[in-house]
Amino acid sequence: MMWRLGLLVLAQAVNRDLQAAARRAGGAKALWDCDQGRLPSVLGHDDDALRAWKAARKAFSTEWAMEELARQGAWWSAQLPPSIDALVDPPFALVGRGSPLGQAGDGVPVVAVVGSRRPTARGLSFARSLASDLCRQGAVVVSGLALGIDAAAHQGALDAGGSTIAVLGSSVDQIAPRTNLRLAERIIASGGTVLSEYWFETPPAPWRFPARNRVVAGIADAVVVVEAAERSGALITADFALDLGRPVLAVPGPAGATMSQGCHHLLRAGAALCERAEDVVAELDGLRWLGESAGPAAPEGGPDAVVFDEVLREPQLVDELAETCGLSTAEIVSALGRLEIDGLVARDALNRYSARGR
Amino acid sequence: MVAHIVSPALLGLHAATVHVEADLRSGMPAFAVVGLPDTAVQESRERVRSGLVNQAFKVPRQRIIVNLAPADLRKVGPQYDLPIALAILAASGQIRRTLLAGLGAVGELALDGSLRPLQGTIAMAEHAAANGWTRLIVPAANAAEAALVTGVDIVPATSVRHAVDILEGRTEAEFAAIDPQRLLADHAGRHGPDMREIRGQSGARRALEVAAAGAHSTLMIGPPGGGKTMLARRLPSILPPLDLDHAVTLTRIHSVAGKLPAGAAMMAERPFRAPHHTISAVGLVGGGTVPRPGEVTLAHLGVLFLDEVCAFSPAALDALRQPLEEGTVDITRGMMTARFPARPLLVCAGNPCPCGYDGDADRPCTCPPGRATAYRARLSGPIMDRIDLHLTVPRLESGDIVGQVQGGEESVVVRSRVIAARARAAARGQTVANGLLPAAAARAVCVLEGPEEALLRRAVDRYALSARAYDRLLRVARTIADLEGVERVETRHLTEALGYRLPSADRMAA
């Protein structure tokens, strides 16, 4: 099966997706064995690409490839989970760092939590706590290691001590954006996986992200879209999931919110509604769930309760709370400090407070 | 015949003695100045010549040699015109040489012989008093600030002729005298813009009160139009009034920098400095071949407001580190080191992202993903390390702008609470405000036990607080308790202080 890994190396050498070429050649194996005369008709009349192909094909050896993998501390697998094989254009092979993928059919639910790279504070906080709750209930959370919702989903899984899979739009040695480098390392350190269908030194490129999304959809048993604008990459993930017959869930947002229009579109088209982890559990009946997740208890009475109820209604700034709660600013800031320590509220980098885990 | 007079030379905020000697020798008429003079001092020859002639004195038709001693000190500026003129008059016998004994003089001459105002007169007067000079002739326009100094007679003069008339007793000197206490009292009730004019923004208002009460440096983040600048401008109005010592220090700084308000004898109000973000490191902390104070020194005891703090050059922000930590700026130049005081209340303001609308309820942010995070990350490091209070200033709703929301408290009311809080700190024996306490002292005045200690321990675990962040939290909680008039720091004070905590690096990246 080494030829599958060879195709990854070739794709990196000619810097393009070879899935279409494989289709033209009549299968991945046929593409690998393709003779020089037929190559232009399969690959296109691109002299540079043809030259690169021939050079890489000639240089490729099993020993070299295994050495490279060892050097990068990575593993590879030609044995794709059957769920991925069901894709129209499955990856030739997968390269990963961290724990190997679980066995298909072992009953461990795998849930994709995806969404916008430019989320709202509410979306971020929801994605994080949803991922935490899913992990507490025994799921593996998969996402795309992008900024925003993706990063929050991975983070949430790590918060709960769970395991999470990050699928990259580049090779595993080219983590992008670089701000997520640390996150990737924490994912690997805590027993998760960083996964890619690209050979080393493949940089991220815009056209690789939809391809990445099909792998996310392929691995997952269900896809939850937390926040998505009208034209969002997260919707591509949802489309792939629908093609594969997997459940798609969408998180509703306030009416008219830009960052929720994609979700509302999905809901209108028949996606299941996701308000909490239990909604996902209900969709994936029959997998090995652990049972109820216990969140922290809401405060009772006093200014804490007033402030908490208000934050629960809508994420707010201190000034907005001052208007609605009828408490002094000092009392509100003080109450929020207590609630934050108890993990009941969270605030974003701009000090907007939102309720966690609800 | 050699004539001799002394004159002060500015070195930073202090002065040194320069001996001005004039000698006449026979030979071709000439006029030479020696003793490391700069161009302005060289040109002094022409001003002195014209000035003397136009005031009906004679310029001797001999070789005139003027020596400025000590010879290794670089003499800069036009301030030696008057002493040179007087020395020449004495050397040529137009006035008695004994008149110059114990006399200091300083001033720039106009071509008609009148005296122009100069910078740093108060520092020169202090030097004169400290060195036992009996009288110091200064330009009349600078007499008021110089008169803040006791121990030397300040003689205001309008021209060379006027100065000579006073020296020879033909004209009565009008010794300048002011009553600084009354000046201060006059100003105490008067200050710039008032807090009352701010509508809404209850969160920021409260935070600024805490900032003023404990001298805590503050960072305000918010979209354009939230009134960050308006808020900062009103901060001096809630700070405690100046005492005389501080006012004199401020007057000296601003006089040396030439920033004393026109016609004012002294700085009776706390300064508010808002340098533009293109400012250089030298502009911010001071420098130059002859060290001059920078913005951080000009804002000493007042407010240093850095608007668009993310746009300041990293080098400039980095240079602020030493002054903010030590309260002084040391500038070392070839022959000398100048030390300027620099203890402003630092207030920074910034947009949440380059376009300014990240997190805004109504307007979408147009920055590409990740830009806002990268932008905020520029804040980290040297400056963030020194920020005690972090707050968000939201954009005003239209109702707030047109005035449906009641305006807030007057500055006077807030200021009285601030004064009470500072008095409470002083009663504990603190010589500095809470925000400036060293770590050990902060822990000593903020002893926690029982539930408070448990809460703080939980906070440390939860937020992985660094030792520095922990001490900041203690100082802010101490100030909040002082504002409430409570000696013991209680849970509600700590939790409010937690609310002003900086977002952790983790949350900045999320």
Side-chain angles (χ1 to χ4, degrees):
Chain A
M1 293 301 262
M2 279 312 284
W3 58 270
R4 284 187 166 273
L5 195 58
L7 280 175
L8 296 194
V9 177
L10 287 176
Q12 191 264 340
V14 302
N15 190 29
R16 65 168 75 174
D17 245 345
L18 292 180
Q19 262 71 19
R23 242 182 289 137
R24 277 195 292 274
K29 182 77 170 102
L31 178 61
W32 176 251
D33 293 332
C34 189
D35 59 49
Q36 297 212 357
R38 213 182 140 222
L39 203 53
S41 69
V42 171
L43 211 55
H45 296 273
D46 179 341
D47 286 346
D48 288 344
L50 289 171
R51 217 172 298 122
W53 174 287
K54 282 170 195 159
R57 180 77 172 79
K58 208 167 151 204
F60 180 81
S61 75
T62 308
E63 295 76 49
W64 171 80
M66 296 318 281
E67 243 170 61
E68 280 294 294
L69 282 166
R71 202 165 60 80
Q72 301 275 2
W75 47 260
W76 79 287
S77 162
Q79 208 73 49
L80 303 181
S83 52
I84 298 193
D85 252 349
L87 287 166
V88 176
D89 283 320
F92 302 120
L94 291 172
V95 176
R97 288 183 62 206
S99 310
L101 293 182
Q103 295 300 306
D106 60 4
V108 173
V110 180
V111 180
V113 177
V114 296
S116 171
R117 284 182 297 153
R118 242 172 46 196
T120 64
R122 181 201 198 103
L124 268 183
S125 151
F126 183 87
R128 194 161 169 174
S129 57
L130 177 73
S132 289
D133 289 348
L134 286 169
C135 279
R136 281 196 208 98
Q137 303 213 23
V140 171
V141 169
V142 53
S143 196
L145 199 72
L147 292 174
I149 298 292
D150 284 15
H154 291 304
Q155 189 64 54
L158 294 179
D159 288 348
S163 145
T164 176
I165 302 171
V167 185
L168 303 183
S170 55
S171 54
V172 292
D173 60 334
Q174 304 264 320
I175 305 281
R178 295 197 51 102
T179 38
N180 282 345
L181 197 61
R182 271 239 194 83
L183 181 58
E185 276 158 13
R186 288 218 301 279
I187 289 174
I188 293 168
S190 61
T193 309
V194 172
L195 202 62
S196 166
E197 59 168 313
Y198 301 106
W199 186 247
F200 302 117
E201 288 173 32
T202 305
W207 49 269
R208 291 200 176 103
F209 291 114
R212 179 267 317 265
N213 290 353
R214 93 187 188 289
V215 178
V216 171
I219 297 177
D221 294 312
V223 172
V224 182
V225 181
V226 177
E227 270 189 325
E230 212 167 351
R231 291 156 46 90
S232 168
L235 299 182
I236 300 179
T237 314
D239 278 345
F240 280 120
L242 288 175
D243 288 347
L244 294 166
R246 310 272 155 72
V248 170
L249 297 92
V251 179
T258 332
M259 277 301 143
S260 289
Q261 282 185 358
C263 296
H264 292 168
H265 169 79
L266 287 174
L267 289 169
R268 210 177 289 125
L273 189 136
C274 175
E275 271 191 298
R276 54 181 75 84
E278 284 71 22
D279 294 326
V280 184
V281 177
E283 284 294 320
L284 293 178
D285 217 10
L287 294 176
R288 274 176 32 209
W289 295 100
L290 296 179
E292 291 295 300
S293 68
E300 284 173 28
D304 289 17
V306 176
V307 172
F308 182 69
D309 286 347
E310 198 49 46
V311 173
L312 200 55
R313 200 169 60 77
E314 198 184 358
Q316 298 183 51
L317 293 168
V318 171
D319 294 74
E320 293 157 350
L321 287 166
E323 274 177 42
T324 46
C325 293
L327 296 166
S328 81
T329 310
E331 283 173 313
I332 290 169
V333 178
S334 185
L336 287 169
R338 276 190 296 274
L339 292 170
E340 200 184 1
I341 289 194
D342 290 338
L344 285 162
V345 302
R347 62 175 161 157
D348 64 10
L350 297 174
N351 285 336
R352 191 178 288 279
Y353 288 84
S354 52
R356 282 191 74 172
R358 262 137 246 267
Chain B
M1 290 298 264
V2 178
H4 168 260
I5 186 172
V6 287
S7 183
L10 269 188
L11 300 175
L13 291 187
H14 301 280
T17 303
V18 168
H19 299 270
V20 179
E21 298 166 327
D23 191 14
L24 301 181
R25 287 181 5 215
S26 52
M28 287 280 281
F31 190 166
V33 178
V34 298
L36 217 57
D38 78 343
T39 316
V41 180
Q42 284 292 359
E43 289 172 346
S44 163
R45 293 176 297 175
E46 302 306 326
R47 288 190 298 272
V48 168
R49 210 192 292 269
S50 287
L52 286 178
V53 169
N54 287 329
Q55 296 268 324
F57 291 109
K58 286 201 187 74
V59 177
R61 300 176 65 79
Q62 282 172 287
R63 279 182 72 87
I64 306 170
I65 312 280
V66 170
N67 180 34
L68 306 176
D72 60 350
L73 175 73
R74 180 167 286 278
K75 324 296 180 306
V76 292
Q79 68 196 55
Y80 302 104
D81 292 0
L82 180 62
I84 290 175
L86 290 175
I88 291 174
L89 289 179
S92 60
Q94 297 178 72
I95 58 173
R96 289 196 314 281
R97 271 187 296 151
T98 49
L99 288 180
L100 304 187
L103 177 76
V106 65
E108 175 186 350
L109 284 184
L111 290 185
D112 65 358
S114 59
L115 284 171
R116 294 211 154 104
L118 44 87
Q119 298 170 1
T121 323
I122 181 172
M124 298 177 183
E126 279 171 346
H127 178 78
N131 286 276
W133 305 359
T134 50
R135 288 196 290 178
L136 180 68
I137 306 183
V138 302
N142 299 116
E145 56 165 291
L148 283 175
V149 178
T150 51
V152 60
D153 286 339
I154 299 299
V155 183
T158 55
S159 65
V160 189
R161 176 59 75 182
H162 187 208
V164 169
D165 284 351
I166 294 171
L167 288 178
E168 296 184 335
R170 276 193 297 278
T171 307
E172 194 69 23
E174 295 164 20
F175 293 112
I178 59 167
D179 183 351
Q181 292 292 2
R182 232 189 74 202
L183 266 178
L184 272 184
D186 283 353
H187 270 275
R190 212 144 40 89
H191 47 71
D194 197 285
M195 276 287 175
R196 186 187 55 233
E197 295 145 19
I198 306 239
R199 298 177 191 283
Q201 304 296 17
S202 49
R205 228 179 243 285
R206 165 72 180 169
L208 285 189
E209 183 175 335
V210 175
H216 296 291
S217 48
T218 303
L219 169 68
M220 298 189 275
I221 295 287
K228 302 186 291 281
T229 308
M230 277 181 71
L231 283 159
R233 271 198 190 289
R234 281 154 182 79
L235 188 52
S237 72
I238 59 171
L239 286 169
L242 285 174
D243 61 26
L244 183 56
D245 275 1
H246 285 157
V248 171
T249 308
L250 283 181
T251 307
R252 190 186 317 132
I253 294 170
H254 287 253
S255 171
V256 165
K259 295 277 160 69
L260 213 54
M266 65 187 285
M267 288 288 294
E269 288 169 52
R270 291 180 186 268
F272 176 86
R273 305 291 304 181
H276 189 255
H277 59 72
T278 52
I279 194 171
S280 65
V282 166
L284 206 49
V285 299
T289 40
V290 175
R292 287 169 61 86
E295 289 291 336
V296 68
T297 299
L298 290 175
H300 179 60
L301 301 174
V303 174
L304 178 64
F305 179 52
L306 304 184
D307 199 2
E308 307 293 351
V309 65
C310 295
F312 279 74
S313 80
L317 291 181
D318 210 41
L320 273 181
R321 201 193 289 243
Q322 183 219 3
L324 291 181
E325 201 153 300
E326 293 166 15
T328 54
V329 183
D330 290 325
I331 297 166
T332 306
R333 291 291 179 271
M335 308 276 273
M336 58 175 293
T337 296
R339 166 164 291 190
F340 296 129
R343 183 130 276 168
L345 176 47
L346 178 69
V347 180
C348 300
N351 291 336
C353 65
C355 86
Y357 290 98
D358 187 22
D360 192 277
D362 304 324
R363 281 181 68 164
C365 166
T366 55
C367 303
R371 266 293 287 287
T373 313
Y375 181 76
R376 286 195 288 268
R378 293 179 62 175
L379 270 181
S380 55
I383 287 298
M384 285 305 244
D385 251 13
R386 307 280 177 280
I387 298 284
D388 287 353
L389 302 174
H390 176 253
L391 59 140
T392 299
V393 180
R395 200 152 52 88
L396 289 178
E397 310 265 324
S398 54
D400 291 348
I401 294 171
V402 298
Q404 281 157 14
V405 175
Q406 276 292 309
E409 283 176 306
E410 283 184 47
S411 290
V412 190
V413 183
V414 185
R415 179 187 251 183
S416 62
R417 286 198 297 268
V418 168
I419 294 172
R422 289 223 181 175
R424 183 162 281 278
R428 275 195 303 270
Q430 281 176 229
T431 52
V432 293
N434 296 337
L436 305 173
L437 280 179
R443 290 181 193 205
V445 296
C446 191
V447 181
L448 302 177
E449 40 198 46
E452 286 80 29
E453 199 195 351
L455 176 112
L456 205 55
R457 191 163 299 151
R458 222 148 36 103
V460 168
D461 289 346
R462 181 159 191 104
Y463 308 125
L465 294 182
S466 64
R468 206 191 275 269
Y470 175 87
D471 291 328
R472 266 203 300 262
L473 199 63
L474 281 188
R475 291 190 193 103
V476 175
R478 180 67 263 173
T479 303
I480 293 171
D482 284 346
L483 269 174
E484 201 186 298
V486 183
E487 199 41 55
R488 217 174 90 90
V489 174
E490 290 168 36
T491 311
R492 61 179 179 284
H493 308 135
L494 281 171
T495 49
E496 187 181 346
L498 273 173
Y500 300 125
R501 192 172 50 89
L502 294 174
S504 63
D506 184 45
R507 272 188 313 129
M508 293 282 278

